[in-house]
Amino acid sequence: MATYKKADARAWARENLVGCSAVTIPSFSADLKRLNERGIRHDIEHAVGLGYSSTLLCSELAISVQENAQFTAWARESGKDLILFFHAAFGTLAENIEAVKLAENAGADIVLLSYPPQFWPTSEQEIYDYTKSFCDATDLAVMLFPIPLWGFERVHPAGMSLELVRRLLADCPNIAAIKSEQGFPLPAGICEMYYHFRDQVVISCPIEADAIPLMSLMKLQFSGTSNTAWMSDYYPKAFELARTGRFEEAMELYWKVNPARSANGAAAQTYAGGTGVLNRTMWKYQDWLAGFNGGPLRAPAMRVPDRLMKSLRQGLVAAGLPVTSDPDSAFMIGRHPC
């Protein structure tokens, strides 16, 4: 259960959403019939050890609402002080509401609000209605997530217009943060949301490559949720340096890891160019390189070609970041197979 009242969600977020969020993709048994408890606990403990203050419990894959609640409960036990994001990425509004209620009881702290692939709005009112219906149904704080993945650009060029966001903030008091990616990969979304709403809610720039440079101009307290834990403790360290006024030191680290960043950007282009689907297998492989559990994902799951595995591994080596010496063939087995 939440440690705050719904009416206090924004104050809670302002106080507690500080630092960086990892993304935890659940681990499964070798036969894919059940969750892998040891693998999940290992990943939560490893994220804490790297300095992450929160993590998104990724549900954008083949996992049931009941399994997601168990995933949340194990994460809560293994990361007692870790802020846990429920990922509202199930197939329908009703299913997301069912899932958030179970996750809330299991220990989730806040929601990252996604929209189902079958949700096909043709007006801002439809986006508003879906968002408000979800927010009304949970006592948890909600992070609004404008991004081109949803296809809302058919309604407005920004996907979620300034006017729509303003209306949602006025009518949904538990919207406590905005993961600002309108117009991605351009920085327009983060700039516009920060300009208008930084005094109302926490504004997150989840893109590591943008966040550190922008902190020379913006007072950002939180970054997430995104694929950064594969760079081990670099991002929590660099973000904290920039947040506390040591921008030059943060940029020294920033440039040092640029080979890894470049390899990641090149690999991401293989799926980000129009599918609207993130390659969670690649994200899990990247985390495995950095000591996380790894292991198989249920179908349908995207593949990671050997050439991309090699380039991602070499990017970490060139950046001087931790990388496993285990062969790539060990990835699908995982560090804690069951």
Side-chain angles (χ1 to χ4, degrees), residues 212 234 246-257:
I212 300 298
Y234 147 71
R246 292 175 287 175
F247 179 72
E248 292 182 357
E249 294 176 64
M251 287 302 297
E252 287 182 15
L253 295 180
Y254 179 94
W255 289 120
K256 183 179 179 182
V257 305

Side-chain angles (χ1 to χ4, degrees), residues 157-239:
M160 287 188 180
S161 69
L162 177 63
E163 293 74 17
L164 175 59
V165 174
R166 182 176 284 118
R167 184 182 174 199
L168 286 168
L169 291 183
D171 295 348
C172 304
N174 57 328
I175 294 180
I178 304 175
K179 183 180 178 182
S180 310
E181 294 189 64
Q182 295 102 317
F184 179 82
L186 301 176
I190 180 67
C191 292
E192 186 173 43
M193 294 297 99
Y194 183 84
Y195 180 84
H196 288 283
F197 303 123
R198 66 183 182 272
D199 293 331
Q200 291 180 249
V201 296
V202 174
I203 305 298
S204 170
C205 177
I207 307 304
E208 169 272 331
D210 293 340
I212 300 298
L214 285 174
M215 289 170 79
S216 65
L217 305 170
M218 299 177 177
K219 292 183 178 179
L220 301 176
Q221 68 177 62
F222 177 77
S223 179
T225 59
S226 195
N227 181 29
T228 58
W230 61 280
M231 292 190 284
S232 293
D233 64 354
Y234 147 71
Y235 194 38
K237 284 183 176 179
F239 189 87

